[in-house]
Amino acid sequence: MSDNSGNASREKTTQWLEHVLQTYYTYLERKKRQGSGGGGGGATVGIKVIDFDIGPGFAGDGRISTLSDLLSLRVRFLISGSDEEKTENWIVKIPPNDKADREMAQMAQVDKREIHFYTEALPELEDWGKSRDASLSVGVPQCYFAKYHNTQPQVEDDDGTILSDAESVLVLEDMRPNGYSMRDFNTGLSLDEAFAALREIATIHALSWAMQETTDDMALDDKWDFAYRPQKAASAYKIMIEQGFPTLADFLDRQEPDGPDILNKLKALHPKAAELLCELLEPPPPPAPSCLTHMDFWCNNLLFRKRTPPDGTATGSENGNVVNGNGHCSNSSGDEDGDNGSDTECLIVDWQMMAISRPTHDVALLLFTSLTPEVREANTEALLKHYWNVFQRTAARLKVELPFDYGVIENEFKKSQLLALLLVIGSIDLALDTPVTQRRLLLALRDMAKEDLI
């Protein structure tokens, strides 16, 4: 590439960055004015980008991403009227360059779904929570910018033109400079981290369930028509299960003494997979709850940190415009059931598969995939009760009475374990990647067989 071409590409990226920052900071300023009674108008905030660096997102962190490409971006800039240099650290999600992954992502509309989560579902949930005088926060990274177009082609360019020309772009705060990190899939989550993850997802579940319960205009699956539809999701998962089942069968056939017996049970279940998927993915009949669910809730889509960073300083963005390092920080009130996980913060990422379904699907998938057998077997009941306590406490803060009890959650969880198994079969190569994960899967299957869940 010639110097002129490289300079033109960098200039184009600079203009795009200034547009993103201008959009975000103008939104903040207008929201601030509106909150102080000054109306939602006001002049556009001027931005001047000084410099930026683009790199691979989560390189070397072990994060698996096939439905999008991730870039890390650090941008230095000035706001008009101020000489103070500011810095933002971002993760930018764009459609995958790999042709097969790209076709799969386009077919499932994963980018569209996640963009709508950040730009529609999340703001509606937060606004509704405020209308109930509940100071709830949602454990997700701050969204700075989102764009979705169906037709615009992607331009591949190492100098950043890919950012300005991608047909869909989602810009989120990179939480790693604020002390957040992933956990290794082989190692699994600690008990404290599992409590923290369930605290965050229970808050989102309860918030969306409560909003649906008190809103007369329409159900969530009608209101948010971008959510993954049960029939469409079932069809996609069924294809993945058909591809993964032979690999699982070969593995179980070699696991003496009980592997072949478990395989026979799964073979009997296999012809019913499509029917089961449709049944389990549909919102359950009342009084069992349905709500916004993540549907890909495992350790690869979670970020953690301890509440007090290693340097002992208070958490927060260096720009001072977000709380606790992100615009939607994890809850800090602790847990009345023994403060389980209260010293660990958790953020949930990758809302590409979001659906309106049974909340216990997320609980079951996390416990099935992301805990060691020892942690899971010793703590499943405590974790499920913890989830329930957070759910009902959140509903109480929102002043919505629950028409179901813990027994309903227990029964729903049993059904959700079967869905978790079916989803794992669809990603069997990952589940069998190492001897550690093979053992995790085998012991989970043994437990399900003992409890007649398969």
Side-chain angles (χ1 to χ4, degrees), residues 72-115:
S72 64
L73 184 59
R74 180 177 176 86
V75 54
R76 296 164 43 230
F77 62 99
L78 295 172
I79 296 179
S80 295
S82 173
D83 294 329
E84 179 186 358
E85 181 180 308
K86 293 182 176 293
T87 303
E88 295 285 5
N89 295 284
W90 294 339
I91 289 292
V92 183
K93 301 186 71 170
I94 55 178
N97 277 325
D98 180 84
K99 183 178 180 181
D101 290 342
R102 190 180 186 82
E103 289 176 352
M104 182 184 301
Q106 288 175 336
M107 181 177 65
Q109 294 187 308
V110 293
D111 49 352
K112 178 181 180 180
R113 194 171 299 115
E114 186 169 30
I115 284 171

Side-chain angles (χ1 to χ4, degrees), residues 158-198:
D158 292 338
D159 290 321
T161 306
I162 192 171
L163 293 174
S164 56
D165 290 345
E167 65 265 37
S168 68
V169 178
L170 181 63
V171 180
L172 303 173
E173 183 173 9
D174 186 350
M175 300 308 298
R176 292 172 297 177
N178 289 322
Y180 284 89
S181 61
M182 286 182 54
R183 296 299 178 262
D184 180 67
F185 178 53
N186 282 297
T187 304
L189 301 183
S190 69
L191 180 59
D192 194 55
E193 290 161 351
F195 276 125
L198 291 177

Side-chain angles (χ1 to χ4, degrees), residues 19-266:
H19 169 65
V20 171
L21 288 163
Q22 186 180 75
T23 300
Y24 178 70
Y25 279 92
T26 298
Y27 163 77
L28 288 181
E29 183 62 28
R30 291 176 178 173
K31 190 174 182 180
K32 180 180 177 182
R33 285 172 54 84
Q34 192 173 27
S36 61
T44 300
V45 175
I47 298 291
K48 175 65 177 178
V49 168
I50 300 171
D51 196 12
F52 65 89
D53 295 305
I54 299 177
F58 289 91
D61 290 358
R63 193 167 194 283
I64 302 164
S65 180
T66 58
L67 297 179
S68 61
D69 283 348
L70 304 177
L71 300 173
S72 64
L73 184 59
R74 180 177 176 86
V75 54
R76 296 164 43 230
F77 62 99
L78 295 172
I79 296 179
S80 295
S82 173
D83 294 329
E84 179 186 358
E85 181 180 308
K86 293 182 176 293
T87 303
E88 295 285 5
N89 295 284
W90 294 339
I91 289 292
V92 183
K93 301 186 71 170
I94 55 178
N97 277 325
D98 180 84
K99 183 178 180 181
D101 290 342
R102 190 180 186 82
E103 289 176 352
M104 182 184 301
Q106 288 175 336
M107 181 177 65
Q109 294 187 308
V110 293
D111 49 352
K112 178 181 180 180
R113 194 171 299 115
E114 186 169 30
I115 284 171
H116 279 293
F117 166 78
Y118 279 101
T119 59
E120 292 187 37
L122 182 58
E124 286 188 45
L125 287 173
E126 292 180 320
D127 288 345
W128 183 82
K130 291 176 184 176
S131 75
R132 308 290 289 189
D133 297 322
S135 57
L136 294 172
S137 52
V138 180
V140 300
Q142 174 68 32
C143 176
Y144 284 77
F145 182 81
K147 181 191 76 169
Y148 178 81
H149 291 298
N150 256 332
T151 56
Q152 188 174 359
Q154 182 170 354
V155 178
E156 299 181 20
D157 195 313
D158 292 338
D159 290 321
T161 306
I162 192 171
L163 293 174
S164 56
D165 290 345
E167 65 265 37
S168 68
V169 178
L170 181 63
V171 180
L172 303 173
E173 183 173 9
D174 186 350
M175 300 308 298
R176 292 172 297 177
N178 289 322
Y180 284 89
S181 61
M182 286 182 54
R183 296 299 178 262
D184 180 67
F185 178 53
N186 282 297
T187 304
L189 301 183
S190 69
L191 180 59
D192 194 55
E193 290 161 351
F195 276 125
L198 291 177
R199 180 187 64 230
E200 295 308 322
I201 199 64
T203 300
I204 295 173
H205 287 167
L207 179 57
S208 59
W209 171 84
M211 186 177 80
Q212 179 173 242
E213 284 292 295
T214 58
T215 303
D216 296 328
D217 54 352
M218 63 178 65
L220 289 182
D221 51 353
D222 295 323
K223 184 181 185 66
W224 296 332
D225 59 1
F226 48 84
Y228 214 175
R229 295 296 173 177
Q231 292 291 339
K232 187 172 183 179
S235 297
Y237 293 143
K238 179 64 164 57
I239 293 172
M240 296 170 65
I241 290 169
E242 291 300 323
Q243 293 172 343
F245 193 83
T247 301
L248 175 61
D250 179 66
F251 168 74
L252 287 175
D253 202 39
R254 294 180 279 107
Q255 306 305 310
E256 296 292 346
D258 55 350
D261 291 337
I262 295 174
L263 176 58
N264 287 333
K265 292 185 178 183
L266 290 176

Side-chain angles (χ1 to χ4, degrees), residues 417-439:
Q417 290 181 75
L418 182 55
L419 180 69
L421 168 59
L422 292 172
L423 296 183
V424 168
I425 294 174
S427 303
I428 196 64
D429 289 343
L430 178 62
L432 298 179
D433 187 48
T434 67
V436 171
T437 58
Q438 291 172 15
R439 176 177 177 270

